[in-house]
Amino acid sequence: MDQNNDLDNQEIFQTKRVISPELEAIIYQTIPILDHGFIRVIDYMGDDSAIVQAARVSYGRGTKKKSEDQALIKYLMRHRHTTPFEMCEIKFHLKMPMFVARQWLRHRTANVNEYSARYSIMDKEFYLPDLDQMSSQSMINNQGRGNIVPEDQAVDIRNRLKRDAEQCYDSYEYFLKEDEDTQKAGLARELARMNLPVNFYTQMYWKIDLHNLLHFLSLRADSHAQYEIRVYAEEMLKIVEKWVPTVYEAFMQYRAKSMLLSKASIDILKRKLKGEDVAQESSGLGKREWGELVAVFEDLEN
Ligand SMILES: Cc1cc2nc3c(=O)[nH]c(=O)nc-3n(C[C@H](O)[C@H](O)[C@H](O)COP(=O)(O)OP(=O)(O)OC[C@H]3O[C@@H](n4cnc5c(N)ncnc54)[C@H](O)[C@@H]3O)c2cc1C
């Protein structure tokens, strides 16, 4: 009877669903990010073939050769035919500083469950930037960083950040403290937490479909995103590459490393191809847009 049970279990555990072998190999593994953060893949559904399978339903045709499947995925990506990409899902366990979580949670298309500091006591874990991330305010981008500050200044800032976080955590513990002798009750956790700074770490489970994950990555793995969220997004891109390699390639080709060209920009390129010397003043573009266009094409000219 035991043997039969074992056989039954073996049958149960042999899934008929598609799996992605490279992703399977890293499932549950903790990938460290920043000083205390991490990413862990908890579960996923589908692979490259799930997208093709869904897309072919719309055309009423069966499975084709691998090369045709790859071409189809590229076509879907190029033409922003998005719903087949929603057939794949992935669930992460994430740990990040609270100020990163605030940016993260602006992405409304995921399912989220976050650590409750009303229910549980916060760990004494806070983010301290590495010295090479201590940069001054950018002079050209109001939302960005400029040069790294001198080392003595960076060390001073780090020391103060650490001191402040520790002091706040001390008070947090003090607020929570009960005293049986004097019958002093501890403050409710939901109130005690309010003096903790946003560099303290939080955790969440985050589930999202592939289409919306790619949208998230196109914004947060981009150079305009803040470093502290970008490092998570860059690691997630590597996970996407393992999970759905054809989608990853198409995404890099048609989204991440591509650029949306306005009509005015296309007109400039046409004029340039005809040999005309176009300057910003005669381009019809503002300084900022002109700068962005030149930044992409100056590599070609050098
Ligand atoms: C570099 C950078 C700087 C930023 N700076 C700021 C800032 O200064 N201040 C600030 O407040 N935010 C800022 N943000 C956040 C930004 O404005 C977006 O809120 C965030 O990136 C989420 O994007 P999203 O809405 O496209 O994503 P998601 O919420 O994941 O939505 C994905 C897509 O679904 C659709 N969608 C989802 N929900 C709705 C809805 N309710 N109605 C209509 N369509 C919906 C939209 O097409 C959307 O693009 C910044 C983001 C980046 C990347």
Side-chain angles (χ1 to χ4, degrees):
M1 191 180 151
D2 278 344
Q3 201 182 2
N4 279 346
N5 273 348
D6 282 350
L7 279 177
D8 285 350
N9 285 341
Q10 275 176 22
E11 276 172 30
I12 290 166
F13 288 124
Q14 275 181 0
T15 180
K16 292 177 184 166
R17 291 174 296 139
V18 288
I19 61 155
S20 175
E22 278 205 58
L23 183 58
E24 203 71 24
I26 60 151
I27 207 157
Y28 301 132
Q29 268 179 26
T30 300
I31 302 165
I33 317 275
L34 301 178
D35 48 1
H36 300 290
F38 61 70
I39 296 177
R40 268 189 338 135
V41 177
I42 298 297
D43 206 354
Y44 69 98
M45 182 172 83
D47 65 353
D48 279 330
S49 72
I51 294 150
V52 172
Q53 185 187 40
R56 294 217 192 278
V57 164
S58 27
Y59 308 130
R61 283 186 274 142
T63 306
K64 299 269 177 159
K65 280 192 276 182
K66 194 172 177 204
S67 59
E68 288 179 51
D69 288 352
Q70 286 171 339
L72 175 59
I73 286 179
K74 282 187 183 166
Y75 174 88
L76 297 170
M77 185 70 73
R78 215 165 52 242
H79 294 276
R80 301 201 173 229
H81 189 354
T82 54
T83 45
F85 296 99
E86 292 170 20
M87 299 299 156
C88 293
E89 294 251 344
I90 190 158
K91 182 160 66 184
F92 295 99
H93 178 191
L94 305 166
K95 184 172 172 189
M96 66 191 78
M98 283 192 267
F99 69 91
V100 173
R102 273 193 75 165
Q103 295 186 352
W104 206 296
L105 292 172
R106 297 300 305 278
H107 295 268
R108 298 156 290 176
T109 43
N111 305 108
V112 189
N113 197 59
E114 192 181 358
Y115 183 90
S116 170
R118 294 182 72 192
Y119 189 83
S120 308
I121 293 175
M122 296 285 287
D123 289 329
K124 191 179 178 179
E125 279 183 326
F126 46 85
Y127 169 61
L128 294 178
D130 285 339
L131 296 185
D132 62 3
Q133 284 306 323
M134 296 275 197
S135 309
S136 58
Q137 173 59 44
S138 165
M139 302 301 274
I140 44 171
N141 178 0
N142 286 339
Q143 271 197 338
R145 297 183 190 179
N147 297 328
I148 299 170
V149 301
E151 193 177 335
D152 54 344
Q153 188 186 351
V155 170
D156 176 42
I157 293 169
R158 243 182 91 100
N159 288 343
R160 281 167 182 262
L161 278 171
K162 186 166 182 285
R163 184 199 63 195
D164 291 353
E166 282 174 346
Q167 233 166 38
C168 288
Y169 197 83
D170 279 353
S171 297
Y172 174 65
E173 283 185 313
Y174 173 76
F175 299 154
L176 292 173
K177 206 172 173 150
E178 298 166 10
D179 192 334
E180 275 179 26
D181 295 340
T182 61
Q183 299 216 321
K184 185 189 100 172
L187 188 68
R189 285 181 265 239
E190 65 180 22
L191 282 172
R193 63 173 165 176
M194 70 184 158
N195 77 328
L196 293 179
V198 287
N199 63 342
F200 271 75
Y201 275 84
T202 184
Q203 296 188 35
M204 61 175 100
Y205 266 50
W206 193 71
K207 181 170 76 67
I208 192 162
D209 67 56
L210 180 57
H211 164 63
N212 284 300
L213 175 63
L214 295 178
H215 176 69
F216 171 85
L217 295 176
S218 69
L219 294 171
R220 302 302 182 175
D222 184 84
S223 61
H224 296 93
Q226 179 168 347
Y227 167 80
E228 281 78 12
I229 193 165
R230 201 168 67 230
V231 284
Y232 285 86
E234 283 167 353
E235 223 30 73
M236 281 179 156
L237 263 182
K238 293 183 200 161
I239 292 170
V240 169
E241 187 177 11
K242 289 183 197 301
W243 176 27
V244 280
T246 309
V247 171
Y248 171 81
E249 239 177 73
F251 172 72
M252 296 310 281
Q253 188 68 237
Y254 299 113
R255 296 282 299 281
K257 298 204 180 293
S258 77
M259 181 190 185
L260 185 68
L261 287 181
S262 64
K263 182 183 173 304
S265 300
I266 293 171
D267 288 343
I268 292 165
L269 294 177
K270 281 184 184 163
R271 284 163 66 191
K272 285 219 73 79
L273 284 172
K274 283 184 193 154
E276 201 181 318
D277 196 11
V278 189
Q280 185 257 318
E281 292 76 13
S282 63
S283 70
L285 295 188
K287 275 194 184 139
R288 192 164 188 170
E289 197 178 347
W290 171 260
E292 287 167 8
L293 186 67
V294 169
V296 173
F297 289 101
E298 67 189 353
D299 277 356
L300 297 178
E301 290 187 348
N302 291 331

